[in-house]
Amino acid sequence: MTIKVFPKLREQIWGSYRLGKIFGSDERIGEVWLLSGHPLFITEAENGLDLNEDMEKLIGKKLPRFPLLVKLISAEDWLSVQVHPNDEEARELESEPWGKTEAWYFVEKGQIAIGEDPEKIRKALEDNSWNEALKKVEIEPGNFVFLPAGTVHALGPGGLLVEVQQASDLTYRVYDWGRGRELHIEKAFKVMKKRKVEDLIEKNFKDFECEYFKIEKLREGELKGFCAIVILENGVLDNRRVLPFETFIVPKGEKAKLQAPALVMRIGKFFEQWGDKK
């Protein structure tokens, strides 16, 4: 049994007219929220199911909101240089239930920038030495980038990617390429951590697991129990024809037969154990 989820489009200053056209919009769309229980955009589902209200039916637990947020992203300009808080920082700074760890699967070639050293970021804010502060890397189709909370990062123009993350919209902008939007420097430096770019990239991606989510790239198989599915190429799911970037849920206790290249996502231990700790 599969449940189709219907996307919500988010206009962004750095967004892509091409991405808008894929989903029937003439606007500059930066993000298509494929699966979300976040209050900013709650995606609707087949059969009148509500991701938040019917969460126990879908994943077998009741959480503050549906825990996974899945997006399709494409940009015509650089996104801001930004950083996200971890769980403890999100509760302390924003009274949010959790922070924002995310991952990117590149469907098409793209580019990213990583700020490996917070001290270089601090220096760049003083003397504009962003070429030294940011390490830019080209990412090939099929590659995967893990961005744990605290990683200073930016997504470059071009490319197309699926983002999987904790259901949070907490973003602290550090630098915005002169566009004049609000920055969040003080909070950003409270949460940013040192990172090495080579530790974040996985080539020829097959599967990944962290405490928040598990992701597999599959072409076929029987799926059991709760999972979210983003179709990557034409195929069949439970005897229905499916198209790229259509998104589905298999509820807890149900099964589905996949015959299409797809990303399959499940919740990690952080969410599985939610409410078990006193």
Side-chain angles (χ1 to χ4, degrees), residues 33-157:
W33 289 39
L34 299 173
L35 177 69
S36 169
H38 189 280
L40 184 62
F41 292 109
I42 298 176
T43 49
E44 297 175 359
E46 281 181 333
N47 306 323
L49 282 167
D50 184 293
L51 296 187
N52 292 329
E53 295 299 320
D54 298 313
M55 202 181 317
E56 286 193 71
K57 290 181 189 175
L58 296 173
I59 67 174
K61 290 191 80 74
K62 189 68 176 173
L63 298 148
R65 64 178 69 114
F66 193 83
L68 296 181
L69 177 50
V70 183
K71 304 174 185 175
L72 185 67
I73 300 176
S74 186
E76 288 181 9
D77 295 308
W78 278 96
L79 277 68
S80 63
V81 179
Q82 58 189 246
V83 65
H84 310 302
N86 65 23
D87 304 323
E88 184 179 348
E89 293 158 347
R91 288 189 288 266
E92 180 183 335
L93 297 173
E94 309 291 349
S95 299
E96 278 280 294
W98 49 67
K100 186 176 176 182
T101 282
E102 59 190 5
W104 294 341
Y105 172 79
F106 279 76
V107 179
E108 297 177 2
K109 186 174 182 176
Q111 54 185 324
I112 64 169
I114 300 294
E116 295 184 313
D117 186 345
E119 289 309 310
K120 289 184 178 179
I121 300 293
R122 197 180 297 277
K123 185 174 184 295
L125 287 167
E126 295 172 356
D127 64 11
N128 214 33
S129 55
W130 289 103
N131 286 336
E132 287 75 45
L134 299 174
K135 186 172 281 190
K136 293 183 179 179
V137 183
E138 289 194 350
I139 307 295
E140 295 297 323
N143 287 3
F144 177 87
V145 180
F146 179 50
L147 297 168
T151 305
V152 178
H153 64 281
L155 176 66

Side-chain angles (χ1 to χ4, degrees), residues 80-82 171-176 181-185 188:
S80 63
V81 179
Q82 58 189 246
T171 296
Y172 300 145
R173 287 192 206 103
V174 182
Y175 178 66
D176 199 35
R181 291 186 295 174
E182 180 185 4
L183 302 179
H184 315 96
I185 303 299

Side-chain angles (χ1 to χ4, degrees), residues 169-216:
D169 198 46
L170 294 178
T171 296
Y172 300 145
R173 287 192 206 103
V174 182
Y175 178 66
D176 199 35
W177 315 97
R179 285 184 289 233
R181 291 186 295 174
E182 180 185 4
L183 302 179
H184 315 96
I185 303 299
E186 184 178 347
K187 286 182 177 178
F189 277 101
K190 286 182 178 179
V191 308
M192 67 175 69
K193 313 289 189 297
K194 276 191 173 185
R195 300 282 190 242
K196 286 290 186 184
V197 69
E198 56 265 27
D199 296 336
L200 306 176
I201 299 171
E202 183 176 332
K203 298 179 180 179
N204 301 314
F205 173 74
K206 293 180 180 177
D207 57 70
F208 174 82
E209 180 174 349
C210 69
E211 61 182 315
Y212 304 107
F213 43 76
K214 307 165 191 173
I215 310 171
E216 287 182 283

